[in-house]
Amino acid sequence: MYFCPLIQKTKTEKLKKHIITGVRHLTDSTFVLQLERNGLPFQTGQFVILRRPGTIDQREYTVYSGEKENVLEVLVREVADGKITPLLKKMQPGVELEVDGPFGFFRFQPSMFTSKKFLFVATGTGISPFHSFVKTYPELDYKLIHGVRFGEEAYEHSHFDKEKITLCTSGDNTGEFNGRVTDYLAGMKPDKNTQCFLCGNSKMIHEAFDILISKGIPVQNIYTEVYF
Amino acid sequence: MKYHLITLGCQMNLSDSERVISVLDKAGYSWTDNEEEAVLIGILACSVRQKAIDKVYSRIHKWNKWKNHKNLVTFISGCILPNDHEKFLKLFDITFQMKDLPNLPEMISRYGITTPVHLKTGIDPHNENIEEFWNVKPSYQSDFEAYIPIQNGCDKFCSFCAVPFTRGREVSRPSKEILAEVALLVSQGYKSITLLGQNVNSYGLDKEGQEITFSELLREVGELGNRMKKEFWVYFTSPHPRDMTDEVIEVIAQYPVLAKQIHLPMQSGDDKVLIRMNRKHNMEKYRQIVHSIRRILPEATLFTDIIVGFTGETESQFENTRKAMKEFKFNMAYTAMYSPRPGATSHRWDDDVPLEEKKHRLHELTEELRKHNRIFNHNLLGKTVRVLVRGEDRKEGFLSGLTEGKLIVRFPAENEDLTGKFANVKITSASDFSLEGELVKVEALV
């Protein structure tokens, strides 16, 4: 992963219990879990670990909400045979979860970059950090390319400036672009000073990495967060 | 009452074991090499390799059988994954996190030699009260080499590693304590001191300005060395490339007691493998650090860690690692064939590089290392190097030791009194991974 070297480490809070305050179901398998913020400090782009109290079952999620919001949100896709996500999906407001963190180095602060042009590339729930970036810094000069299979997976695209987001769908033709994000990226001509942030599965990140390098983007301008 | 302790894994565990021994000795137990005569047996576990954990299971099953005919209490600590922890609760009488070590005698007394009451403590990822562990005076197992823990835990979450889940979050030990321990050891004649942590160069960052940084800590150690006017070498391991700065390298250059030897884990020479490993550094960053080391510390030796055959590592990606080996000319590379560890993120992925291919890649890197070392070591022929003598060599009539750069040197000498002392040795022959020479001068005792 490529990192943002100028941002100070964020203080790690003690493990706290956070009550679920809401659940927004975006598709049959994907939902936003909203929890009390409880003063948890984080820098946009970081992740937290959610755990059911009294168990060892836990999972890492990038924070979906903005730094200044009073709630803590994460975007979760249910893994049918997973140990955690089917349980999270069934949770109702009022249930408590333990939150550990924040962690991670995919932190974002526009002031640390000389060039203020940003390219965000995401697949699936990899849109989470970019949602948080944009919620935290609404005035950003960015272009977000979001790749999914079907148009219904355009998770809360209304939260973004529609001029700045492109939906790529590989399984139907409901997106602005019919194909994978890497196909779209291959046709782009990004300015060499663009700061590029990639988040999603490692296959997409590896391909996007090669495409950006071939377009003359210096390696130090590429930041990655692999979703495992 | 006799006890036996088995320590598996890395230097962190070895260092921890010095404190465990100290606590048990103070509680009135005495060490035995023979586990069969012990009434208390403990293990400091390691979760880096499955083999180490398999050893734990094999031992505890044996010890639990012994309980049918003798009184025995067993305990386990060290690096333990939550899943293993759950199982160990049922198998061991006592499980505890190292931060709770000061309470071990109380745990044992509450347990009682014959009362089968399981005493259990859960895993606290935040290492609260770790200070109490650091305050335990260790029972150093050498008279001239010592480890000093400066930090516990890890926040980096490399995908192949489970340490963030076994040792919890990064917590820095107060610098005053570290400096006091260094001063005490040096005053007692210690010659080699290693500052230990999972990511030593992120030292202090968790304290958000309330503690000095790693380079400042090294500077304080260097100043201490100047004031004490004694000869000793201070090492540190392991740093993470992400937090390595020129400032650290410059400080090392300024102080004679800061050893000119850097261990800088690379793990892979390929950017895409590094992304999958979630390493947070790329090869450009790594190259910049190595260039800084060569520029600021031209005499320094460079060691590294490498994993071959990581999930998805292609031949061309491995080739980049081989090229990096050639480029950086490491003096030592601790190369491991990848093996997935439950609890680490990469355990969810296919271990898709065949064992034979991993062996082949390991062999290739070893040969690359050998080639460079042969040249490096041959360039030392005829030169006199300073060596800290560590004891008898396997070759009869020889002693061996380490240079400041941790190169192995052996020389003929019958006099055992040299162990733990500095000596000058003129190099007379060089092999790929060691040097041989003649004693030139032995320093007076300091």
Side-chain angles (χ1 to χ4, degrees):
Chain A
M1 185 202 297
Y2 301 83
F3 55 90
C4 309
L6 300 179
I7 299 179
Q8 290 296 306
K9 188 182 173 90
T10 302
K11 186 175 180 179
T12 301
E13 281 285 282
K14 301 265 179 265
L15 198 128
K16 281 182 179 172
K17 290 191 173 71
H18 294 237
I19 294 172
I20 295 173
T21 52
V23 183
R24 297 198 300 279
H25 290 275
L26 309 184
T27 68
D28 283 348
S29 62
T30 308
F31 53 98
V32 175
L33 207 56
Q34 186 185 76
L35 299 112
E36 293 174 323
R37 176 80 179 253
N38 277 352
L40 182 92
F42 70 91
Q43 283 181 338
T44 181
Q46 288 194 292
F47 67 89
V48 292
I49 295 176
L50 299 188
R51 184 185 306 135
R52 288 191 302 132
T55 73
I56 59 168
D57 301 332
Q58 60 184 33
R59 197 81 166 88
E60 306 91 53
Y61 292 101
T62 299
V63 178
Y64 183 70
S65 46
E67 282 179 19
K68 294 158 199 154
E69 294 180 60
N70 290 327
V71 293
L72 184 72
E73 291 185 338
V74 293
L75 178 63
V76 182
R77 189 174 68 84
E78 183 189 18
V79 178
D81 57 351
K83 273 171 112 176
I84 316 287
T85 53
L87 294 169
L88 289 179
K89 192 182 172 190
K90 287 177 194 156
M91 285 185 177
Q92 297 295 319
V95 172
E96 276 184 337
L97 285 175
E98 286 178 348
V99 179
D100 196 2
F103 305 106
F105 302 92
F106 198 63
R107 294 173 289 196
F108 182 76
Q109 201 174 80
S111 60
M112 63 179 284
F113 303 103
T114 46
S115 164
K116 308 292 184 207
K117 285 183 82 70
F118 300 102
L119 173 66
F120 304 144
V121 183
T123 47
T125 54
I127 197 170
S128 267
F130 306 128
H131 186 269
S132 179
F133 288 5
V134 171
K135 280 274 186 181
T136 305
Y137 302 103
E139 305 303 321
L140 275 183
D141 179 6
Y142 70 92
K143 168 80 179 169
L144 169 60
I145 313 166
H146 185 209
V148 294
R149 286 194 69 195
F150 305 110
E152 64 164 21
E153 296 162 283
Y155 310 127
E156 302 194 312
H157 276 209
S158 60
H159 293 185
F160 297 87
D161 183 336
K162 66 178 179 185
E163 301 299 319
K164 296 178 179 175
I165 186 167
T166 299
L167 178 70
C168 303
T169 53
S170 58
D172 64 24
N173 57 4
T174 57
E176 285 90 24
F177 179 80
N178 186 15
R180 298 183 307 151
V181 279
T182 43
D183 298 329
Y184 185 85
L185 197 60
M188 284 182 73
K189 290 180 184 166
D191 183 281
K192 289 185 173 44
N193 293 319
T194 307
Q195 304 292 327
C196 305
F197 290 75
L198 318 176
C199 183
N201 64 67
S202 64
K203 188 171 184 295
M204 178 280 282
I205 285 177
H206 285 181
E207 286 180 24
F209 182 89
D210 284 345
I211 292 167
L212 291 169
I213 295 291
S214 73
K215 289 180 181 293
I217 302 287
V219 70
Q220 65 268 25
N221 288 5
I222 305 173
Y223 309 86
T224 67
E225 180 83 321
V226 178
Y227 266 21
F228 301 115
Chain B
M1 292 189 296
K2 299 205 167 174
Y3 75 95
H4 184 76
L5 180 68
I6 294 170
T7 304
L8 304 169
C10 68
Q11 292 138 315
M12 266 323 265
N13 270 8
L14 279 176
S15 170
D16 290 350
S17 74
E18 294 184 332
R19 281 175 163 76
V20 175
I21 288 167
S22 167
V23 164
L24 293 175
D25 287 348
K26 210 170 164 186
Y29 289 88
S30 58
W31 170 268
T32 174
D33 284 328
N34 179 6
E35 62 184 35
E36 290 186 31
E37 64 176 15
V39 295
L40 176 67
I41 303 181
I43 289 192
L44 299 191
C46 166
S47 288
V48 171
R49 302 255 183 286
Q50 184 61 44
K51 265 186 191 170
I53 284 295
D54 291 344
K55 262 186 204 170
V56 174
Y57 282 107
S58 135
R59 294 287 180 122
I60 188 60
H61 287 305
K62 178 174 79 174
W63 296 335
N64 282 340
K65 280 181 191 163
W66 290 359
K67 286 182 175 178
N68 292 330
H69 57 84
K70 67 177 279 189
N71 291 332
L72 178 66
V73 174
T74 57
F75 69 84
I76 187 162
S77 186
C79 280
I80 305 171
L81 284 163
N83 276 335
D84 289 321
H85 185 260
E86 295 274 296
K87 292 172 193 160
F88 291 157
L89 287 173
K90 293 172 192 150
L91 294 168
F92 284 84
D93 299 315
I94 298 167
T95 63
F96 65 96
Q97 260 179 283
M98 204 42 76
K99 70 184 183 68
D100 297 317
L101 173 66
N103 302 323
L104 180 58
E106 193 198 336
M107 294 181 209
I108 297 166
S109 67
R110 278 166 59 189
Y111 177 83
I113 292 296
T114 55
T115 313
V117 178
H118 285 239
L119 192 73
K120 303 159 184 178
T121 57
I123 292 180
D124 164 22
H126 292 284
N127 285 307
E128 270 191 89
N129 307 323
I130 185 83
E131 292 82 4
E132 288 174 24
F133 161 72
W134 284 325
N135 284 335
V136 173
K137 192 179 175 308
S139 173
Y140 301 109
Q141 299 301 293
S142 160
D143 296 330
F144 59 95
E145 294 174 317
Y147 298 116
I148 299 181
I150 68 166
Q151 179 203 49
N152 191 62
C154 181
D155 290 352
K156 296 295 187 288
F157 291 89
C158 297
S159 61
F160 55 79
C161 179
V163 166
F165 305 105
T166 61
R167 282 192 176 260
R169 306 289 83 81
E170 284 175 5
V171 184
S172 300
R173 186 180 181 192
S175 54
K176 276 185 185 170
E177 284 180 21
I178 297 166
L179 293 166
E181 196 170 341
V182 173
L184 178 72
L185 287 166
V186 174
S187 70
Q188 290 173 347
Y190 279 79
K191 304 289 193 302
S192 170
I193 294 168
T194 303
L195 307 179
L196 276 184
Q198 265 80 29
N199 293 295
V200 282
N201 50 353
S202 61
Y203 174 83
L205 298 180
D206 57 300
K207 303 295 183 196
E208 295 191 305
Q210 302 302 305
E211 185 51 274
I212 58 177
T213 63
F214 184 59
S215 59
E216 288 165 341
L217 178 69
L218 286 182
R219 189 181 294 283
E220 293 286 330
V221 172
E223 290 292 333
L224 185 75
N226 286 353
R227 285 198 301 277
M228 294 187 82
K229 300 189 190 318
K230 290 199 174 189
E231 185 177 9
F232 61 100
W233 294 330
V234 176
Y235 300 88
F236 55 85
T237 194
S238 292
H240 192 295
R242 184 187 184 280
D243 295 320
M244 195 66 167
T245 61
D246 278 4
E247 196 185 350
V248 167
I249 303 163
E250 280 158 5
V251 171
I252 295 169
Q254 285 168 29
Y255 295 94
V257 299
L258 300 178
K260 288 12 178 205
Q261 185 264 353
I262 309 270
H263 186 134
L264 190 67
M266 181 174 76
Q267 305 303 2
S268 169
D270 183 86
D271 278 338
K272 289 192 213 162
V273 175
L274 290 172
I275 287 173
R276 207 180 299 112
M277 287 178 166
N278 201 25
R279 281 291 289 173
K280 299 140 200 123
H281 68 87
N282 57 25
M283 286 311 292
E284 183 168 303
K285 167 78 177 170
Y286 195 88
R287 190 167 284 113
Q288 281 169 4
I289 299 169
V290 175
H291 285 175
S292 292
I293 292 169
R294 299 302 187 208
R295 177 172 53 84
I296 301 166
L297 292 172
E299 73 276 42
T301 55
L302 185 61
F303 288 25
T304 196
D305 297 329
I306 294 174
I307 296 171
V308 292
F310 186 65
T311 298
E313 184 188 66
T314 63
E315 270 183 47
S316 65
Q317 288 169 344
F318 167 71
E319 186 58 24
N320 285 336
T321 301
R322 210 179 60 76
K323 282 180 189 161
M325 285 282 287
K326 206 168 181 171
E327 177 184 352
F328 299 134
K329 298 185 175 13
F330 297 112
N331 297 91
M332 179 50 73
Y334 299 102
T335 307
M337 291 185 290
Y338 171 68
S339 71
R341 181 71 196 101
T345 301
S346 65
H347 185 256
R348 302 173 203 159
W349 308 334
D350 287 343
D351 179 17
D352 54 3
V353 179
L355 181 62
E356 283 309 307
E357 182 58 26
K358 285 178 186 169
K359 283 182 184 170
H360 167 71
R361 291 177 189 181
L362 176 66
H363 175 75
E364 289 279 299
L365 293 193
T366 306
E367 286 309 301
E368 201 59 59
L369 183 69
R370 188 187 298 279
K371 264 191 252 171
H372 164 63
N373 271 4
R374 190 174 301 151
I375 296 165
F376 187 94
N377 287 353
H378 274 263
N379 283 339
L380 289 172
L381 282 174
K383 290 182 181 160
T384 299
V385 295
R386 198 132 177 85
V387 171
L388 175 57
V389 183
R390 300 184 78 221
E392 276 184 51
D393 191 76
R394 277 181 298 185
K395 190 170 174 181
E396 203 173 330
F398 279 67
L399 294 178
S400 72
L402 294 175
T403 66
E404 182 179 349
K406 290 200 172 176
L407 304 177
I408 301 166
V409 178
R410 66 181 171 201
F411 55 94
E414 300 292 345
N415 186 356
E416 271 293 306
D417 287 347
L418 292 180
T419 298
K421 292 174 190 158
F422 285 113
N424 289 338
V425 177
K426 187 176 180 182
I427 302 301
T428 54
S429 70
S431 64
D432 296 346
F433 291 111
S434 66
L435 296 154
E436 203 168 297
E438 293 166 353
L439 197 59
V440 175
K441 187 182 167 193
V442 183
E443 289 300 298
L445 273 172
V446 284

